[in-house]
Amino acid sequence: MSVLGRATARAAEQLGLFKGARWYLREAPRTGAAKAETVLVGVPKTGPRPPVGEVRLLAPDDWAIQRSFSLRLHDYPLDFNVTRAKVLSMTEAEIRDGLQKMPTFVGTRDGAPVARVRLAPDEPGVLELKGVLVLPEARGTGISDLTVRTALEWARDQGHGKVRLWVRENNKPAIDLYTRTGFRPTGETKPLAQDPSLNSVEMMVRVGR
């Protein structure tokens, strides 16, 4: 196994990913790499499967992929309170540390990263789905569903009971995605930080006991 592959395996072990039989290591293309590397791949029991795409957990060595997604967030100012300058100011060490603390799942098609979701600690037994981004060229392909479902199954495998999120009230494509993957509105709302004339609505799904 390559150094990069060993790093991926270490990240998996630290997060307890091998508790779930749906996770496995295999040789796969890695963006910018001269040859295939060993990466962690998740395939949910339910929902779309390849050739829709594959989902993998980002290891710290994948910090450049994480940065590339973060640099796209400023294209959606209503949904992400992140500036390009802020992303560029982050050091490699800071991004690596973030990947250790917040499990980050990337959906790929033909080896190219096109979707990302992150899980952040919220309260005991509850995680928050954050930083969901699907590149325009991948919308409508099913990779967004696959990526979200994989993250939810990981959360369940780790013993978490619920996953919640906040979404802009008029972001219909996002709400449709979350509804397809099991989320339901809780009735809670709060003003959208970027535009207080709009609300964010809370949605939640139960993934375990």
Side-chain angles (χ1 to χ4, degrees):
M1 184 182 297
S2 68
V3 173
L4 193 55
R6 287 195 297 273
T8 307
R10 282 197 302 274
E13 290 166 355
Q14 290 166 5
L15 294 170
L17 284 175
F18 291 122
K19 288 168 148 183
R22 290 172 298 283
W23 294 89
Y24 59 95
L25 287 166
R26 75 165 179 82
E27 292 292 314
R30 183 180 290 276
T31 302
K35 60 185 182 65
E37 298 286 356
T38 306
V39 299
L40 188 73
V41 176
V43 179
K45 277 186 175 179
T46 59
R49 288 182 170 79
V52 167
E54 290 183 330
V55 180
R56 42 181 270 237
L57 172 77
L58 292 190
D61 282 346
D62 294 312
W63 67 273
I65 296 176
Q66 165 62 6
R67 171 174 277 178
S68 72
F69 273 103
S70 296
L71 285 171
R72 300 291 295 267
L73 298 182
H74 78 284
D75 293 335
Y76 309 94
L78 277 179
D79 298 308
F80 301 103
N81 189 21
V82 179
T83 65
R84 184 178 180 87
K86 181 178 180 180
V87 175
L88 290 174
S89 72
M90 295 184 67
T91 66
E92 177 182 333
E94 289 173 327
I95 299 172
R96 285 174 174 269
D97 185 58
L99 289 172
Q100 290 280 25
K101 293 178 178 177
M102 192 181 301
T104 302
F105 304 85
V106 163
T108 65
R109 286 176 58 81
D110 299 322
V114 293
R116 184 200 70 177
V117 306
R118 311 191 79 187
L119 289 172
D122 192 346
E123 59 187 70
V126 182
L127 295 174
E128 183 176 356
L129 194 75
K130 303 185 73 171
V132 179
L133 179 63
V134 183
L135 301 188
E137 60 268 26
R139 293 172 189 170
T141 65
I143 192 63
S144 57
D145 296 66
L146 181 67
T147 307
V148 172
R149 289 179 188 276
T150 302
L152 296 180
E153 291 200 359
W154 177 88
R156 182 192 63 198
D157 288 344
Q158 305 311 301
H160 297 284
K162 299 177 181 178
V163 177
R164 65 157 52 100
L165 60 84
W166 292 90
V167 59
R168 176 165 45 89
E169 62 184 349
N170 59 352
N171 189 346
K172 186 177 184 302
I175 292 173
D176 288 347
L177 164 63
Y178 302 139
T179 300
R180 289 195 305 270
T181 50
F183 287 88
R184 296 295 181 266
T186 66
E188 295 292 324
T189 65
K190 63 182 181 181
L192 186 69
Q194 295 87 324
D195 183 351
S197 69
L198 295 171
N199 281 330
S200 290
V201 300
E202 183 185 53
M203 301 181 75
M204 185 175 289
V205 61
R206 179 174 291 276
V207 295
R209 295 181 179 178

